[in-house]
Amino acid sequence: MTEATVGEFTTRASSINRALDQIGDKWCLLIIQEVLWGINSFNEMMAAMGVSRGVLSNRLKWLQEVGCLRREEGVAGSHRPRYHLTSKSIALYDCAMMAITWERDWYQTPALDRVELVHLPCAKPFVAQLRCACCDALVCLRDVSYQPGPGATRDVREKKVRRRSSIAITEVRSEHALYRNLINVVGDRWTSNLIALSFHGLTRFEQFHQELPVATNILSDRLKLLVEEGVLEQVVYQQRPLRYEYHLTEKGQGLFPWFLTLLQWGDTWCDPQGRGKPMQVTHNPCGEQLQAQVHCSECHGVLKAHEVRFTLDGEDMNP
Ligand SMILES: [Zn+2]
Ligand SMILES: [Zn+2]
């Protein structure tokens, strides 16, 4: 995969866009997952992911630049550097939990079927759920509204042309890619932006095109992909000439918790000038600003990384 910067454009500042610009690439999402499992040398990652040397080296460099990986030079007689998560990338834990929930809801992923997540405080296998910290209700798309926040502005973003990777992520070898279908759907700059705009109620081609300065053939291609993946569905709104709107399906709406945890991560970690949240999300049932937390389905406790055990075929997998 190659990419080239071909100019700049501005978009409404959004923590989602900022987060996606930093880690929203397929390979970046996969690398963070590998390191989470303790696969942290260059050769191990290359073998696990089936990624080319050039792409891996490029993404590792990038993830260090944005503060999501820390490189440790070879220790204890080894010359190979190791890559470690930072507090910034460890904070993506909530996102990973919501990604696993979506993947389990919508796909049969053999690797994921062999994995069991146990919440240590209640000692039960669980499903991660996103709840409002104020009223405890499950968070869903139809219950939120948006207002500009203190950091509302426009962001200058690089416009890149990215040649599509010839490898579909579903063919990537890694056993650790527990939410590979999610990465396949969101790990592209334009598809993830289209989904985020759909959460704001946009449905028509012209509306998407107004927000995303991308060539119309690329936009059509990505909308088609999202329809094929069952995230969007076409609904006729005009007969002559025939015109469609793109509506989120139930599966598409199910991605909302993942996006929301990513938005919260972006609010905290991708605001270099400290201007505050570009956008505020209100939870309509309680009327408060939404602070979403990931909970255990069994005991309702808030999930903390060190209180969750992963097992693969019954074997402890925690790094
Ligand atoms: Zn609430
Ligand atoms: Zn529990």
Side-chain angles (χ1 to χ4, degrees):
M1 185 162 67
T2 53
E3 46 185 67
T5 301
V6 293
E8 291 178 340
F9 66 102
T10 66
T11 53
R12 271 182 286 188
S14 145
S15 295
I16 286 275
N17 289 342
R18 289 177 188 169
L20 289 168
D21 284 348
Q22 293 198 1
I23 55 134
D25 162 84
K26 281 179 189 179
W27 296 114
C28 289
L29 289 167
L30 272 178
I31 289 168
I32 291 171
Q33 252 190 79
E34 294 295 340
V35 179
L36 193 69
W37 292 123
I39 307 290
N40 62 3
S41 78
F42 191 94
N43 289 347
E44 284 170 348
M45 283 189 229
M46 206 162 80
M49 294 161 61
V51 59
S52 79
R53 187 168 285 275
V55 169
L56 181 58
S57 158
N58 168 289
R59 298 306 192 277
L60 286 173
K61 194 161 154 259
W62 170 253
L63 286 170
Q64 289 174 82
E65 268 174 44
V66 297
C68 285
L69 281 185
R70 178 174 60 79
R71 183 181 145 123
E72 184 188 38
E73 295 310 321
V75 286
S78 163
H79 298 295
R80 296 203 178 125
R82 302 250 158 205
Y83 296 88
H84 299 279
L85 297 178
T86 59
S87 32
K88 182 172 176 177
S89 46
I90 289 169
L92 285 165
Y93 190 78
D94 284 357
C95 276
M97 284 290 137
M98 295 326 298
I100 288 174
T101 297
W102 186 78
E103 191 89 11
R104 280 208 208 271
D105 281 349
W106 297 100
Y107 294 89
Q108 292 287 322
T109 306
L112 191 50
D113 290 342
R114 294 165 57 204
V115 171
E116 190 171 73
L117 277 69
V118 175
H119 189 218
L120 297 177
C122 68
K124 287 182 184 156
F126 69 93
V127 176
Q129 298 177 329
L130 198 65
R131 294 182 177 275
C132 169
C134 174
C135 70
D136 202 41
L138 286 172
V139 172
C140 63
L141 177 63
R142 63 171 180 276
D143 286 341
V144 303
S145 51
Y146 310 98
Q147 300 81 35
T153 170
R154 291 187 79 82
D155 277 346
V156 177
R157 303 171 71 196
E158 282 177 359
K159 189 170 174 180
K160 284 183 179 154
V161 180
R162 187 177 283 177
R163 223 189 302 145
R164 226 158 159 199
S165 168
S166 56
I167 307 169
I169 219 85
T170 43
E171 291 158 22
V172 168
R173 286 204 294 276
S174 174
E175 298 98 70
H176 306 108
L178 297 183
Y179 39 91
R180 62 178 61 198
N181 291 294
L182 176 128
I183 292 179
N184 202 38
V185 169
V186 304
D188 165 279
R189 181 191 191 101
W190 304 118
T191 53
S192 49
N193 274 288
L194 284 168
I195 297 168
L197 290 170
S198 300
F199 290 144
H200 283 274
L202 271 58
T203 55
R204 297 190 179 176
F205 191 92
E206 308 76 54
Q207 295 175 320
F208 292 127
H209 194 232
Q210 215 165 28
E211 291 288 329
L212 301 173
V214 57
T216 52
N217 61 326
I218 294 178
L219 189 56
S220 299
D221 177 72
R222 299 306 196 272
L223 284 166
K224 188 164 157 260
L225 182 90
L226 290 172
V227 171
E228 282 166 7
E229 290 290 334
V231 168
L232 296 177
E233 62 187 344
Q234 289 184 305
V235 177
V236 175
Y237 74 90
Q238 183 185 299
Q239 286 293 349
R240 279 187 209 154
L242 193 59
R243 294 255 189 275
Y244 296 99
E245 285 183 336
Y246 293 87
H247 293 196
L248 285 161
T249 59
E250 199 189 333
K251 181 178 174 183
Q253 291 179 32
L255 281 167
F256 183 65
W258 183 80
F259 272 84
L260 195 65
T261 49
L262 187 67
L263 180 138
Q264 293 189 161
W265 181 79
D267 280 342
T268 307
W269 295 96
C270 309
D271 181 16
Q273 275 127 27
R275 291 197 183 124
K277 296 179 188 183
M279 186 178 73
Q280 279 173 350
V281 184
T282 301
H283 193 226
N284 299 333
C286 66
E288 294 296 317
Q289 255 192 61
L290 180 57
Q291 182 58 44
Q293 292 177 323
V294 181
H295 287 252
C296 165
S297 58
E298 304 308 302
C299 70
H300 277 214
V302 175
L303 294 179
K304 299 185 185 98
H306 64 276
E307 291 179 349
V308 173
R309 200 180 65 211
F310 280 68
T311 59
L312 177 68
D313 300 332
E315 298 273 329
D316 209 322
M317 254 179 112
N318 285 30

